[in-house]
Amino acid sequence: MQFETRAIHVGQEPEPRTGAVVVPIYQTSTFAQPRVGEHTGYEYARTGNPTRTALQECLASLEGTEQAVCFASGLAAEDAVLRLLAPGDHVVMANDVYGGTWRLISKVHARYGIEVSAVDLTDLDAVAAAFRPTTRFVWAETPSNPLLKVLDLAALAELAHDRDAWLVADNTFATPYLQRPTDLGADLVVHSTTKYLGGHSDVVGGAACTDAQTAADLAFLQNAVGAVPGPFDSWLTLRGIKTLGVRMDRHCANAGRIAEFLADHDRVEQVLYPGLSDHPGHELAARQMTGFGGMISFRVAGGVEAARRVAEGTRLFFLAESLGGVESLIEHPGIMTHASVVGTDLEVADDLLRISVGIESVDDLLADLATALD
Ligand SMILES: *Cc1c(COP(=O)(O)O)cnc(C)c1O
């Protein structure tokens, strides 16, 4: 089956007793057991829930991994992945990862002995130089947030594997519709399903997609620690995934038009969008992805005050954190999503704005941005 078909059918057979064509929301915390010591495959809903199972089977199929383990949030998934490490282990992490990922490793896991180096992962020599005998993970995010850098996943996987390390890829921005990191050699894919996979800005969730053994280790950690997604959250995410392909096509088409408009605008200093031919990662993105995505960052002429006025001047683009929903959003990374990295190597320019281009009419979106910039 092709991607769009798997998104609608894998893990989603009609419910056998009633024939319901949509996977039910199994809103139950426990499952009756036929005999002592025997169960139906489900015992207690922290350990497993059939709505969550359906989501996990579907997502694993889309990422092309043996299994997926779904979590209460993207950061909960990342936390579990980092718990696979032991004190003294080292991570080479992209120097422009999502701010919350950086906070998780540098402020939480660092206290338990995990070491991290922030490196520009577009520079493969710098990546090799950052390796230590204790390096276990290279942690990549591509396209990155908010600078939309494109990383060469195949090259990073080879570099990591030559040194007995794993490549972990955050595929939140691209989604498996546009990019499949494990096809390029990644060992583990993490997601904030809050974004494009859920797709409607109505649920928070996360996932780790990987081989069966690692998934079992993560499921053990999840059951021991507890960051599970509820059945309704799992259902909303699965419902969102059904339309991922058609939504991503529209996100990409709208973003392409808007990136060109911004690039021509005299109040815009620079546009970061991998679909523009002058983007340093354009050719790599064209090779590695099947579309350039719906995220654009741009620098406004006139500094932080001008950027602030543009961010507060749109009507259709809501001023909000997050991304990947059907509605368009605008935000100021320096003050909003990336405030936790101010003063570190990961700090971003204060005239930078990030937009998540939704699937509204592109003409309305262009008019809204034109008004705000004027
Ligand atoms: C939002 C986001 C996360 C964190 O996910 P939550 O669901 O908010 O916990 C991680 N990585 C990227 C790229 C994100 O955009």
Side-chain angles (χ1 to χ4, degrees):
M1 288 188 284
Q2 298 299 309
F3 187 95
E4 294 84 343
T5 314
R6 284 185 277 122
I8 293 169
H9 289 284
V10 173
Q12 303 169 75
E13 290 298 315
E15 195 273 317
R17 198 171 70 84
T18 63
V21 298
V22 174
V23 173
I25 303 165
Y26 286 90
Q27 192 68 46
T28 184
S29 62
T30 191
F31 301 83
Q33 307 191 8
R35 305 180 69 87
V36 173
E38 274 177 33
H39 60 77
T40 61
Y42 296 96
E43 300 162 83
Y44 181 63
R46 171 163 30 74
T47 320
N49 177 288
T51 317
R52 197 203 315 169
T53 302
L55 169 62
Q56 292 180 159
E57 288 179 2
C58 184
L59 193 51
S61 167
L62 299 184
E63 277 293 355
T65 54
E66 287 174 355
Q67 284 179 24
V69 185
C70 289
F71 289 83
S73 70
L75 285 177
E78 295 184 4
D79 174 66
V81 171
L82 290 169
R83 285 174 198 262
L84 295 170
L85 301 178
D89 285 346
H90 175 244
V91 178
V92 173
M93 188 168 269
N95 66 355
D96 63 340
V97 285
Y98 174 72
T101 303
W102 181 251
R103 182 177 56 198
L104 174 64
I105 193 160
S106 65
K107 296 248 162 70
V108 181
H109 285 270
R111 291 169 52 202
Y112 301 95
I114 303 303
E115 295 173 5
V116 59
S117 307
V119 178
D120 177 359
L121 295 195
T122 61
D123 180 348
L124 295 175
D125 294 334
V127 179
F131 258 82
R132 302 177 189 170
T134 52
T135 304
R136 297 271 316 273
F137 291 163
V138 174
W139 192 291
E141 192 183 307
T142 181
S144 72
N145 176 17
L147 297 180
L148 283 310
K149 282 195 205 164
V150 181
L151 303 178
D152 188 337
L153 290 173
L156 288 169
E158 196 185 316
L159 204 146
H161 295 164
D162 283 349
R163 293 163 178 76
D164 288 328
W166 280 10
L167 177 63
V168 177
D170 184 332
N171 205 25
T172 299
F173 269 37
T175 83
Y177 184 69
L178 300 180
Q179 167 175 283
R180 300 229 307 206
T182 55
D183 287 354
L184 301 164
D187 302 276
L188 199 152
V189 173
V190 292
H191 275 287
S192 170
T193 59
T194 312
K195 316 295 169 51
Y196 288 104
L197 291 170
H200 296 74
S201 306
D202 53 11
V203 60
V204 171
C209 307
T210 185
D211 64 273
Q213 179 55 54
T214 308
D217 295 344
L218 291 171
F220 167 81
L221 283 166
Q222 176 176 58
N223 189 46
V225 177
V228 297
F232 186 48
D233 289 2
S234 301
W235 186 89
L236 282 170
T237 307
L238 187 58
R239 175 183 163 122
I241 285 175
K242 289 174 199 272
T243 55
L244 181 65
V246 289
R247 284 189 286 110
M248 291 314 290
D249 285 343
R250 178 65 85 91
H251 283 297
C252 292
N254 282 0
R257 288 276 305 278
I258 288 173
E260 280 168 19
F261 161 81
L262 291 171
D264 281 343
H265 200 286
D266 57 9
R267 291 200 175 108
V268 174
E269 299 257 311
Q270 189 188 9
V271 181
L272 305 174
Y273 182 63
L276 293 175
S277 56
D278 67 352
H279 186 282
H282 177 67
E283 268 156 42
L284 175 59
R287 240 186 8 252
Q288 183 169 277
M289 303 170 72
T290 56
F292 300 108
M295 298 301 298
I296 303 172
S297 291
F298 62 101
R299 297 180 65 175
V300 179
V304 61
E305 274 318 308
R308 190 191 281 271
R309 272 168 40 221
V310 173
E312 293 175 354
T314 53
R315 278 188 47 226
L316 290 178
F317 283 83
F318 296 143
L319 177 62
E321 301 189 3
S322 200
L323 60 113
V326 293
E327 63 285 292
S328 295
L329 303 178
I330 189 164
E331 68 117 0
H332 185 289
I335 300 171
M336 297 169 64
T337 49
H338 289 64
S340 62
V341 297
V342 169
T344 73
D345 290 348
L346 285 78
E347 184 169 342
V348 294
D350 65 2
D351 56 4
L352 187 81
L353 295 178
R354 187 190 78 181
I355 56 178
S356 172
V357 179
I359 64 171
E360 301 97 332
S361 152
V362 72
D363 296 328
D364 291 334
L365 297 179
L366 288 168
D368 192 36
L369 284 172
T371 306
L373 283 162
D374 287 349

